Amino acid sequence: MTLHSFIQNATSPWMKNEGPDSDIVISSRVRLARNLEGITFPIIANEEELSPVPEKVEAHFAGHSHKRFGELSLIKMNDLTDNEKRILVEKHLISPNLSGKSKAGAVLLSEDESLSVMVNEEDHFRIQCLLPGFQLQEGLKYANDMDDWMEEKLDFAYDQRRGYLTSCPTNVGTGLRSSVMMHLPALVMTNQLNRILPAINQLGLVVRGIYGEGSEALGNLFQLSNQTTLGESESEIVEDLRSVVSQLVERERAAREQLLTQSTNIVEDRIYRSLGILSYSRRMESKEAMQRLSDIRLGIDTGIIKGIDAKILNELMVLTQPGFLQHYAGEALTAEQRDQRRATLIRERLTLEEHDGGVE
Amino acid sequence: MLCQECQEREATLHFTKIINGEKTEFHICDVCAKERGDYTPGSNSFSIHQLLSGLLDTAGQQKPSREIGAQQRAEKQCPSCGMTYRQFAEIGRFGCADCYESFDEKLDPVLRRIHGGNAQHTGKVPKRKGKDLHVYKQIEDLKQKLQQLIAEEEFEAAATTRDEIRSLEHSLKGKGGESS
Ligand SMILES: [Zn+2]
Ligand SMILES: [Zn+2]
């Protein structure tokens, strides 16, 4: 397999599209937690109790065509190898939690992978819509459509007073978690983000590193999401997040502007150093890779680096994860081997760009 | 208000622990919270479940109470899935949808704490089931009206109301058969 075709197969088709404000907002995601009436939640249910859940999904939705998402297919966790599961996690299509316990776990996926419904994760269903760039309202609309479609066939646990009933009390009500992944290198470099984050927390929003709870923000990537799910309507929750994100987008743009006019030489040096290191290194740890790639992306977005596609960050962020490296290598790799492979993959990717003038 | 740990800095985090139905308030500053590992500003490793099990803690370790009332409250159990309130408090997750009903009397303060003061859903109503909910509500109201009409010996109006209830119940049954 050539690297070109590997990238084509490995990245989600939706990643090829550029969304609004995609110089700063990498992706927008809307998730709805839903449960079936009369079936114990996955956290305490046994496999036998949970097996009707994927069966219902298979009967009503797999192989059927949805007006927005096209044909949907059901993938059962038990049918996947550990590495295949890992790849789904690295593509953000399933959670580590679902991959870890495959007790009747499954995922319903759209062809372009912008829609996934996790089955028997913490809740019976986690409907998730993932879109490129800043498209929270669209994400909500599509996830909502999917919810309506599923509700035509299934009885969701719902209570007039508490709304959609979920396993964790932090999701009850709307069951809605909306989030955006943002690339904020200039706010980090100018030390502004540290001051902004507490204010964002005050507004009831959560900021995390890219792999969710507890992980650190690698490569200046931050995920912002709503914390509360009760007492506000779905559109209000999304609007609150949208307005904070759009303010952050403005601030990041201003900070980039400021960096470029006041410290041009320093910024250029940093970006070109990272380009040099990525172009010639023989070993690359994932943490450094993310940081260097963040610099490259900033270089592309600010016009300092020309001739490299902006999608390189999104692609390599996914491709340099352990699951993909092993997939590309076709064998299990030690950490040492992965660092070597990672450096090679990045070098190849950068050269591919030079020869092709962009992967389309 | 000063932080209760260091008595130096202004407290920025305020939360309430409920132990055997008794409220204890905590006021801590960012620095002490960070040291305790519950909350790290910026990095946001703030674990909602850590806070939750603090909120929900009814295990009563701090108060080895022999009061039967308190014991019973702590042992409240969901008849559908068998989860006890104590287990719920430990893992911070409900075992089934009926747990919300089973632990209802304790939930308002917990939900308010998690959801910025809110304990009531104001969002989406599912289309199909939402219609049923509306009908159930109507039936409820009519049943009350029926009671009243009977008490007032308005038998003619009561008969009409009874027929209305029957036809609404019938429409629900028809739907139930269709969806199963
Ligand atoms: Zn203190
Ligand atoms: Zn229960």
Side-chain angles (χ1 to χ4, degrees):
Chain A
M1 197 186 332
T2 66
L3 179 62
H4 190 122
S5 65
F6 176 71
I7 292 172
Q8 293 286 10
N9 294 335
T11 54
S12 292
W14 67 261
M15 283 172 62
K16 292 186 182 61
N17 302 317
E18 292 262 303
D21 298 312
S22 60
D23 56 329
I24 292 163
V25 182
I26 308 286
S27 60
S28 305
R29 179 164 63 154
V30 171
R31 182 212 80 189
L32 297 170
R34 297 290 185 258
N35 286 285
L36 289 171
E37 272 182 353
I39 298 181
T40 314
F41 294 152
I43 190 157
I44 59 165
N46 58 37
E47 194 160 344
E48 201 179 321
E49 289 171 279
L50 290 177
S51 61
V53 185
E55 280 165 20
K56 279 173 201 279
V57 174
E58 190 145 42
H60 296 302
F61 310 106
H64 290 70
S65 201
H66 180 269
K67 62 185 176 205
R68 164 66 177 72
F69 297 109
E71 187 163 307
L72 302 162
S73 39
L74 187 74
I75 302 166
K76 293 173 183 159
M77 287 305 118
N78 280 333
D79 296 340
L80 298 175
T81 64
D82 286 347
N83 208 49
E84 286 167 334
K85 282 187 242 180
R86 197 166 185 171
I87 285 173
L88 290 178
V89 173
E90 289 169 3
K91 290 176 94 168
H92 297 269
L93 294 172
I94 64 170
S95 65
N97 181 27
L98 184 67
S99 80
K101 47 144 220 195
S102 47
K103 223 171 42 164
V107 60
L108 185 70
L109 262 186
S110 71
E111 254 168 287
D112 73 348
E113 299 178 1
S114 64
L115 176 97
S116 65
V117 182
M118 280 193 273
V119 181
N120 287 332
E121 209 252 14
E122 185 180 281
D123 294 298
H124 295 140
F125 303 114
R126 290 273 172 102
I127 302 167
Q128 173 182 284
C129 181
L130 193 55
L131 297 172
F134 195 9
Q135 301 192 69
L136 276 175
Q137 268 127 343
E138 291 79 0
L140 175 61
K141 185 182 174 302
Y142 298 142
N144 223 346
D145 278 357
M146 186 64 197
D147 177 45
D148 287 343
W149 195 52
M150 291 181 76
E151 204 251 338
E152 284 174 20
K153 304 279 189 215
L154 305 172
D155 289 315
F156 289 148
Y158 182 87
D159 175 78
Q160 263 178 306
R161 207 154 47 98
R162 308 291 193 206
Y164 291 94
L165 304 176
T166 54
S167 182
C168 184
T170 58
N171 293 318
V172 69
T174 57
L176 170 73
R177 195 74 62 207
S178 52
S179 55
V180 289
M181 204 210 284
M182 306 187 79
H183 184 224
L184 303 172
L187 286 179
V188 173
M189 262 186 249
T190 55
N191 274 323
Q192 292 180 63
L193 200 63
N194 284 340
R195 276 179 283 135
I196 299 171
L197 290 184
I200 293 176
N201 290 332
Q202 291 288 309
L203 293 167
L205 302 176
V206 188
V207 189
R208 294 196 179 102
I210 59 157
Y211 279 95
E213 220 163 341
S215 66
E216 56 183 313
L218 290 173
N220 301 314
L221 290 163
F222 296 89
Q223 187 186 295
L224 268 78
S225 52
N226 64 294
Q227 172 140 310
T228 64
T229 55
L230 202 56
E232 269 190 304
S233 74
E234 286 78 358
S235 54
E236 284 167 339
I237 291 171
V238 165
E239 177 51 31
D240 286 352
L241 179 63
R242 197 205 59 79
S243 82
V244 170
V245 170
S246 66
Q247 287 179 49
L248 269 179
V249 167
E250 289 315 312
R251 291 218 197 186
E252 170 67 20
R253 288 211 176 109
R256 288 181 186 186
E257 192 76 33
Q258 185 199 341
L259 273 177
L260 282 179
T261 50
Q262 290 170 12
S263 342
T264 321
N265 191 247
I266 296 172
V267 177
E268 278 185 351
D269 181 65
R270 174 171 168 159
I271 288 168
Y272 280 118
R273 263 171 204 277
S274 286
L275 183 58
I277 286 167
L278 289 177
S279 306
Y280 295 103
S281 289
R282 280 353 193 213
R283 304 180 47 183
M284 180 64 59
E285 285 183 11
S286 70
K287 196 172 169 182
E288 184 181 1
M290 296 293 273
Q291 190 53 51
R292 302 284 176 202
L293 286 166
S294 166
D295 290 344
I296 302 296
R297 178 67 199 255
L298 179 64
I300 297 167
D301 289 337
T302 51
I304 292 172
I305 295 179
K306 294 193 172 64
I308 300 181
D309 195 296
K311 286 194 287 287
I312 193 168
L313 174 69
N314 319 24
E315 278 174 10
L316 285 177
M317 249 166 40
V318 172
L319 298 177
T320 57
Q321 298 294 322
F324 272 106
L325 287 173
Q326 297 186 131
H327 181 46
Y328 187 42
E331 58 182 333
L333 301 170
T334 63
E336 174 80 11
Q337 288 171 317
R338 287 202 298 266
D339 288 352
Q340 292 175 22
R341 290 277 181 163
R342 183 175 294 114
T344 310
L345 181 77
I346 294 170
R347 285 202 321 271
E348 285 177 355
R349 177 68 183 80
L350 287 168
T351 339
L352 189 71
E353 199 70 59
E354 271 167 36
H355 295 320
D356 288 10
V359 178
E360 282 310 314
Chain B
M1 185 182 292
L2 280 182
C3 167
Q4 65 186 56
E5 297 268 307
C6 61
Q7 306 287 347
E8 268 174 31
R9 292 168 286 264
E10 191 69 14
T12 50
L13 261 182
H14 310 272
F15 60 95
T16 311
K17 263 193 182 189
I18 299 170
I19 299 154
N20 279 343
E22 253 177 58
K23 271 189 198 174
T24 315
E25 291 192 352
F26 290 86
H27 308 278
I28 317 181
C29 72
D30 283 357
V31 180
C32 293
K34 200 171 183 173
E35 275 166 15
R36 287 166 55 121
D38 289 344
Y39 175 77
T40 315
S43 80
N44 247 293
S45 62
F46 164 67
S47 156
I48 190 77
H49 290 112
Q50 249 170 314
L51 178 60
L52 253 184
S53 57
L55 280 174
L56 304 170
D57 183 16
T58 55
Q61 291 145 327
Q62 310 199 349
K63 193 184 166 199
S65 163
R66 293 245 165 259
E67 288 171 59
I68 292 162
Q71 287 282 5
Q72 269 177 347
R73 267 207 305 280
E75 284 308 320
K76 193 160 182 67
Q77 191 173 20
C78 172
S80 300
C81 70
M83 183 174 274
T84 63
Y85 190 80
R86 193 189 293 236
Q87 286 173 316
F88 165 61
E90 264 167 31
I91 60 172
R93 304 286 204 288
F94 293 107
C96 76
D98 294 334
C99 286
Y100 281 91
E101 180 102 40
S102 310
F103 306 138
D104 186 58
E105 57 181 280
K106 289 170 166 240
L107 285 185
D108 268 29
V110 173
L111 293 176
R112 274 182 218 288
R113 185 63 62 178
I114 301 169
H115 296 285
N118 298 303
Q120 186 141 5
H121 178 61
T122 53
K124 185 172 180 177
V125 178
K127 276 189 185 145
R128 187 169 48 86
K129 210 178 163 206
K131 242 180 248 162
D132 287 357
L133 287 176
H134 184 70
V135 177
Y136 279 122
K137 177 99 177 44
Q138 246 179 306
I139 294 173
E140 257 338 50
D141 291 348
L142 285 171
K143 277 183 177 167
Q144 272 186 11
K145 188 180 162 193
L146 181 64
Q147 293 290 324
Q148 203 177 339
L149 289 171
I150 291 168
E152 289 164 5
E153 304 192 352
E154 299 272 359
F155 296 117
E156 216 168 307
T160 320
T161 306
R162 185 203 56 207
D163 291 345
E164 267 181 77
I165 294 170
R166 277 189 188 158
S167 96
L168 284 174
E169 281 175 340
H170 192 74
S171 78
L172 280 178
K173 266 184 208 140
K175 248 198 215 116
E178 199 180 293
S179 69
S180 63

